[in-house]
Amino acid sequence: MSEENKNVTIYWRQGCGFCARLTDAVGELADKATWRNIWEDDEAAAFVRSVNDGNEVVPTVVINGEAHTNPDPQTVVDALSAQ
């Protein structure tokens, strides 16, 4: 699936337990999302801070243009399944 056709963007970082939980839940649907590591992408980190009161809270997931901070993994699975 091309990047422009993906409606889910997952902002994450290495060593984050909540990110690992989300990754496990997403499983085989992972390639349907755009993944942005905030420790390797300054623009991604700035976006996460902009929607989390200046904090780098991950996972932050954008689904169809709406940011969700540490969403229930099933919400993300449902969004990816609908693509």
Side-chain angles (χ1 to χ4, degrees):
M1 177 176 288
S2 66
E3 289 298 312
E4 61 269 6
N5 292 329
K6 295 181 180 180
N7 297 324
V8 177
T9 302
I10 300 171
Y11 295 86
W12 69 285
R13 67 168 174 79
Q14 191 71 23
C16 167
F18 294 107
C19 298
R21 178 179 72 132
L22 179 60
T23 301
D24 288 344
V26 167
E28 294 178 5
L29 298 171
D31 64 339
K32 289 188 168 192
T34 299
W35 294 79
R36 297 187 66 184
N37 184 336
I38 68 166
W39 281 359
E40 296 176 357
D41 182 339
D42 291 337
E43 184 179 296
F47 173 77
V48 169
R49 287 191 302 272
S50 78
V51 297
N52 290 298
D53 298 321
N55 298 303
E56 292 184 350
V57 181
V58 287
T60 293
V61 181
V62 177
I63 301 171
N64 296 322
E66 183 179 345
H68 303 266
T69 302
N70 197 15
D72 182 305
Q74 190 61 50
T75 300
V76 181
V77 168
D78 292 346
L80 292 171
S81 295
Q83 292 192 117

